[in-house]
Amino acid sequence: MSLPRIAIDAMGGDEGVRVMISGAALARRRHEQFKFLLVGDEARISKALEAHPNMREASEILHCEDVVAGDEKPSRALRRAKTTSMGLAIQAVKEGKCGAAVSGGNTGALMAMSKLALRTMPGIDRPALAALMPTLEEHDVIMLDLGANTECDARNLVQFAVMGAAYSRIVCGNEAPRVRLLNIGTEDTKGTDKLQDASQFLRDASGLAMRFEGYVEADKINRGDVDVVVTDGFSGNIALKAIEGSARFVTDLLKTAFRSSIRSKIGFLISRPATELLRHHLDPNNHNGGVFLGLNGVIVKSHGSANAQGVAHAVAVAARLLEDDLTTRIAADLSALDDGALKASGNVAAQGQQ
């Protein structure tokens, strides 16, 4: 199947060109139909391509030496959108030269540039950052928002639920994803007014391609009992960092324990297949690829520290969203909402905050 080209911000991420090109090459070895626009320093990209002959006929280079720094403020990055590798990759999507863009660069800058260039879809007030996380079951869980919006009202949360469900149907194959709102308890009386308003709207809504199942607490996110977790960007980012930190803590603790004595080292050799499975399951590279949902285009954020395997996964996510036409899916789901009731939900939340 022929797919639109994917723009790669080759300069983004902790290691930049080498890892981004290696990841794209790995993705293309798995899917020969992938084609790329590689944005960045032409000399460095050409050098990196020497190790990946499978990329030569599938790639075009757009020369650019300017890079968005990892600690650069989004406001400053916006002023350089037309000269940086990140900005030019997004611009290629806006102009229709590419169907999607993948970057491992500054998240705040990527969000700001993408929103300004692509704008939000009709019916969406704010875009949200969504990502996949591992669970105890075979499927991943999708969580949003993970940092794009620190404050949200009930209307925003309902829109996030619709977008997250559409994303889950494409990436995870869930025909009717189980959707829950992140809260401090599962009882109907728990949580803020905006959470209760969003919950009530989703309970009463009909025709949505999801199963709304109320609330979920943070310690249940990875149990496998929910497909989409919806929250504001402030709480979502804290929960994400806590989960990632816990995963690193467990793996580091196991390493320390297995090195503590000769008996422990022998135990490690015996249990190595199980520990390797655990390591693979917790490796963020195997779940890499956050997506800015709600934009008029596909933008995928790769972890800055991702290796080639992680970048390849992010590229595959972008291709999957193009293949299944994410924006059309979201638009169709939004049309099933009672817009009058949704606006009323937002008004109720606003009144409750006064």
Side-chain angles (χ1 to χ4, degrees):
M1 176 182 177
S2 177
L3 286 172
R5 290 190 305 176
I6 297 173
I8 304 292
D9 171 15
M11 310 295 282
D14 294 352
E15 294 192 50
V17 174
R18 184 187 66 81
V19 167
M20 296 304 291
I21 300 302
S22 295
L26 179 57
R28 190 165 193 276
R29 281 199 291 273
R30 297 170 180 171
H31 306 278
E32 293 184 354
Q33 75 273 29
F34 290 179
K35 297 184 182 300
F36 303 101
L37 176 66
L38 307 176
V39 187
D41 184 271
E42 184 172 11
R44 294 174 62 188
I45 292 174
S46 297
K47 179 68 175 177
L49 286 175
E50 292 177 1
H52 305 287
N54 70 315
M55 288 283 289
R56 292 170 185 165
E57 295 183 0
S59 304
E60 177 186 348
I61 300 174
L62 177 59
H63 177 67
C64 173
E65 297 180 359
D66 200 3
V67 183
V68 175
D71 59 352
E72 189 168 336
K73 291 183 178 180
S75 57
R76 182 173 185 274
L78 275 175
R79 293 194 291 271
R80 302 191 300 120
K82 294 183 179 180
T83 63
T84 57
S85 58
M86 179 186 291
L88 291 176
I90 296 169
Q91 187 66 22
V93 177
K94 177 182 179 180
E95 295 174 354
K97 296 177 181 178
C98 293
V102 177
S103 176
N106 183 313
T107 302
L110 185 64
M111 177 78 258
M113 287 186 184
S114 299
K115 186 175 180 180
L116 182 63
L118 302 177
R119 305 295 181 180
T120 54
M121 298 173 55
I124 295 295
D125 297 329
R126 299 179 181 180
L129 177 58
L132 296 164
M133 292 188 291
T135 71
L136 289 176
E137 303 298 330
E138 293 184 0
H139 64 84
D140 289 336
V141 60
I142 290 169
M143 189 168 175
L144 72 164
D145 178 27
L146 296 177
N149 308 280
T150 55
E151 294 184 4
C152 301
D153 59 21
R155 178 183 171 92
N156 299 141
L157 295 175
V158 170
Q159 293 173 355
F160 294 171
V162 172
M163 294 191 295
Y167 185 34
S168 179
R169 294 204 309 278
I170 291 174
V171 175
C172 301
N174 299 315
E175 289 302 318
R178 297 165 297 174
V179 178
R180 296 186 186 181
L181 296 167
L182 183 64
N183 202 346
I184 58 173
T186 57
E187 300 88 349
D188 291 342
T189 56
K190 290 290 183 70
T192 61
D193 289 342
K194 67 181 182 182
L195 280 171
Q196 294 186 28
D197 291 339
S199 176
Q200 189 61 55
F201 180 88
L202 290 168
R203 288 182 191 279
D204 294 341
S206 60
L208 297 181
M210 70 173 77
R211 287 178 289 165
F212 179 67
E213 298 183 346
Y215 301 129
V216 63
E217 294 178 89
D219 63 334
K220 302 295 193 302
I221 291 174
N222 302 101
R223 302 298 298 180
D225 300 326
V226 59
D227 300 312
V228 180
V229 175
V230 177
T231 185
D232 61 78
F234 185 82
S235 301
N237 194 268
I238 290 175
L240 174 65
K241 298 293 175 54
I243 290 170
E244 291 178 340
S246 296
R248 287 193 294 270
F249 171 74
V250 170
T251 53
D252 290 345
L253 190 63
L254 285 173
K255 289 178 182 177
T256 302
F258 282 130
R259 294 170 180 167
S260 62
S261 67
I262 296 297
R263 181 178 295 179
S264 296
K265 292 178 181 179
I266 295 173
F268 168 72
L269 293 175
I270 296 172
S271 61
R272 188 166 186 173
T275 55
E276 283 297 307
L277 179 62
L278 175 65
R279 184 190 63 79
H280 177 81
H281 198 58
L282 294 179
D283 187 349
N285 288 293
N286 296 321
H287 310 275
N288 188 37
V291 181
F292 292 123
L293 299 177
L295 297 173
N296 291 301
V298 175
I299 304 295
V300 175
K301 172 66 176 71
S302 172
H303 281 298
S305 60
N307 59 20
Q309 174 71 29
V311 173
H313 193 278
V315 171
V317 167
R320 183 72 181 273
L321 297 180
L322 289 176
E323 186 177 24
D324 288 272
D325 200 353
L326 173 67
T327 54
T328 299
R329 289 272 192 114
I330 292 175
D333 289 353
L334 286 171
S335 67
L337 287 173
D338 181 344
D339 191 54
L342 184 57
K343 289 179 180 178
S345 175
N347 291 336
V348 169
Q351 292 170 7
Q353 295 169 0
Q354 292 178 353

